[in-house]
């Protein structure tokens, strides 16, 4: 699986290496629309999400992406994405990075999520992060 295929699994595009917007769907036409990047803050290895990005569920999957970013997905979307990644021929390195680093993390009442130190180092995350909404999840990029 190459980068383009992986981005398509996330519901994004293969344009550029560090997006400044996400791709969503217009609720009336179901056409792809650009969504602005939002900012998040990390304190004591906890990611604090803006209110509009708080997940409905109490647990999310956090994993490494293919471009030094992290991915946050619902458990349902992760199950679909994981099965598609594992079904692809070859690309053992991508499978090891993305599937091997997946962790289930609880979302606290204040909307924060614990990020593993290894994942923060992988994505070079510091205090401020950019949050990119995709159809199937959220990308977390170093600011």
């Amino acid at each position: 699986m190459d980068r383009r295929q992986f981005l398509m699994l996330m519901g994004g595009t293969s344009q550029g290496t560090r997006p400044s917007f996400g791709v969503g769907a217009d609720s009336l036409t179901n056409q792809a629309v650009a969504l602005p990047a939002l900012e998040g803050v990390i304190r004591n290895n906890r990611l604090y999400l803006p209110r509009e990005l708080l997940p409905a569920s109490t647990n999310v999957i956090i994993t490494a992406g293919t471009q030094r970013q992290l991915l946050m997905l619902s458990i349902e979307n992760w199950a679909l994405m994981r099965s598609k990644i594992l079904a692809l021929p070859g690309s053992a390195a991508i499978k090891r990075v993305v599937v091997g680093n997946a962790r289930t993390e609880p979302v606290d009442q204040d909307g924060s999520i614990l990020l593993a130190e290894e994942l923060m180092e992988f994505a070079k995350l510091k205090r401020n992060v950019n949050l990119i909404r995709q159809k199937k999840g959220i990308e977390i990029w170093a600011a």
Side-chain angles (χ1 to χ4, degrees):
M1 171 175 32
D2 63 17
R3 186 184 79 157
R4 182 187 57 74
Q5 291 170 317
F6 180 78
L7 287 171
M8 297 314 286
L9 281 175
M10 280 296 292
T13 66
S14 58
Q15 303 297 317
T17 58
R18 189 169 181 180
S20 59
F21 60 88
V23 177
D26 182 284
S27 60
L28 297 176
T29 64
N30 205 28
Q31 296 292 320
V33 294
L35 301 171
L38 296 171
E39 293 183 359
V41 176
I42 295 177
R43 278 181 263 149
N44 299 326
N45 286 18
R46 297 199 75 77
L47 170 63
Y48 291 85
L49 296 169
R51 196 172 293 291
E52 58 265 34
L53 291 183
L54 288 176
S57 62
T58 57
N59 290 306
V60 294
I61 302 294
I62 304 286
T63 191
T66 60
Q67 302 174 39
R68 294 273 177 202
Q69 87 277 28
L70 299 183
L71 306 172
M72 182 175 76
L73 300 113
S74 68
I75 292 173
E76 297 81 17
N77 283 341
W78 170 247
L80 294 171
M81 186 172 143
R82 181 180 181 276
S83 64
K84 288 179 183 179
I85 290 171
L86 293 176
L88 291 170
S91 63
I94 290 177
K95 291 176 184 179
R96 274 194 300 276
V97 170
V98 178
V99 176
N101 283 300
R103 301 161 190 257
T104 302
E105 297 291 350
V107 180
D108 288 349
Q109 291 178 355
D110 61 357
S112 69
I113 300 167
L114 181 66
L115 297 177
E117 187 68 37
E118 304 84 47
L119 290 177
M120 288 184 57
E121 288 175 14
F122 169 83
K124 299 181 180 356
L125 301 180
K126 301 292 182 205
R127 180 172 163 78
N128 297 317
V129 295
N130 291 321
L131 304 168
I132 312 298
R133 291 183 276 190
Q134 297 290 351
K135 288 180 186 174
K136 296 184 173 127
I138 296 171
E139 295 179 352
I140 304 166
W141 292 84

